[in-house]
Amino acid sequence: QVQLVEFGGGLVQPGGSLRLSCAASGNVFRIQNMGWYRQAPGNRRELVASVTSDGSANYADSVKGRFTISRDNAENTVSLQMNSLKPEDTAVYYCYGDITAKFYTSRDTYWGQGTQVTVSS
């Protein structure tokens, strides 16, 4: 099977920086889109950033200019560099990948376990 594991959550002060990473492992044949969602208590789930297999990125308006998404196709990883963090960035962050598994012809969406990001003084 395919599994996505997240790293890098934690507690930071407003204005600080944090980097999240997500690694896909298992029977991976090809990864198309990858990205990050987040959800805070009482709020709807929000797509933060996504990146295609050829490196085309898209960002939510609330994080443009502050966050940068990148991927390493050789290692099947996607990262989110978060700068100038604000308290409203506090949420659980989930990575996802649209992945075709080995010996299959169609792709499916896989999810990371979620990691807590807290921005507070």
Side-chain angles (χ1 to χ4, degrees):
Q1 73 279 11
V2 174
Q3 185 174 0
L4 272 62
V5 180
E6 302 177 24
F7 306 88
L11 173 65
V12 297
Q13 293 183 328
S17 297
L18 199 64
R19 181 175 180 268
L20 306 181
S21 296
C22 177
S25 61
N27 296 326
V28 176
F29 175 71
R30 185 173 185 267
I31 303 177
Q32 290 80 36
N33 301 322
M34 302 186 78
W36 297 86
Y37 281 83
R38 69 184 181 186
Q39 187 167 25
N43 293 345
R44 63 185 180 183
R45 188 183 65 173
E46 175 188 25
L47 178 61
V48 178
S50 63
V51 59
T52 65
S53 59
D54 62 358
S56 180
N58 188 39
Y59 299 93
D61 289 340
S62 59
V63 307
K64 286 181 179 177
R66 300 188 297 120
F67 291 10
T68 302
I69 189 171
S70 61
R71 63 189 291 168
D72 186 335
N73 292 333
E75 298 187 1
N76 291 334
T77 60
V78 61
S79 298
L80 186 68
Q81 179 65 46
M82 304 182 293
N83 298 325
S84 302
L85 283 163
K86 305 174 181 179
E88 49 263 46
D89 294 319
T90 297
V92 177
Y93 285 69
Y94 300 89
C95 70
Y96 76 92
D98 295 330
I99 299 173
T100 300
K102 292 181 179 178
F103 312 115
Y104 285 79
T105 59
S106 61
R107 68 185 180 186
D108 202 0
T109 301
Y110 296 84
W111 295 89
Q113 79 279 13
T115 185
Q116 177 70 48
V117 173
T118 301
V119 185
S120 177
S121 59

